[in-house]
Amino acid sequence: MLKPIIHYGIHLFLPLALSLLFYRKKWLKAYLIMLLAFIIDLDHLLASPIFDSSRCSINFHPLHSYYAIMLYLVLLIPGKTRLFAIGLLSHIIADSADCLLI
């Protein structure tokens, strides 16, 4: 029961905290852009079963691979992709927490 609370808590509240802390004047826009990073979970559709609570997503799904994570780190550099990259990396942090709780 604790695992989903931690997982979704990180997914929702880490981007919110970062938005309020660093993008105070446009926090809602920043928060929504970061939440758009949930789109990387589309790669779960390639797995069978699509959801497995005992599976670690990191380096299992293509958009959760170490190569993809390196790309997300590079996307932090340009200002135009920074918010989305922060959202992607927040998502990876949440999924990494799942791996530690398996």
Side-chain angles (χ1 to χ4, degrees):
M1 183 65 180
L2 186 60
K3 184 178 171 180
I5 293 170
I6 292 171
H7 178 84
Y8 291 109
I10 294 171
H11 269 308
L12 297 174
F13 295 115
L14 180 58
L16 179 61
L18 294 171
S19 297
L20 292 171
L21 189 61
F22 296 110
Y23 300 94
R24 186 172 300 269
K25 291 183 181 180
K26 296 182 180 182
W27 75 269
L28 183 58
K29 179 181 177 182
Y31 181 57
L32 292 175
I33 291 170
M34 288 184 214
L35 288 183
L36 284 173
F38 274 84
I39 198 157
I40 71 169
D41 272 346
L42 286 176
D43 64 359
H44 288 249
L45 297 174
L46 301 172
S48 180
I50 291 173
F51 176 75
D52 181 356
S53 63
S54 65
R55 178 173 58 215
C56 178
S57 293
I58 304 302
N59 216 37
F60 181 84
H61 302 292
L63 296 176
H64 294 68
S65 69
Y66 297 132
Y67 296 111
I69 294 168
M70 293 299 203
L71 175 64
Y72 306 154
L73 289 169
V74 171
L75 290 174
L76 287 171
I77 298 167
K80 290 186 178 194
T81 58
R82 188 168 298 135
L83 283 172
F84 193 66
I86 293 169
L88 291 166
L89 291 167
S90 296
H91 184 96
I92 295 297
I93 290 169
D95 286 359
S96 295
D98 269 358
C99 297
L100 294 173
L101 296 172
I102 291 179

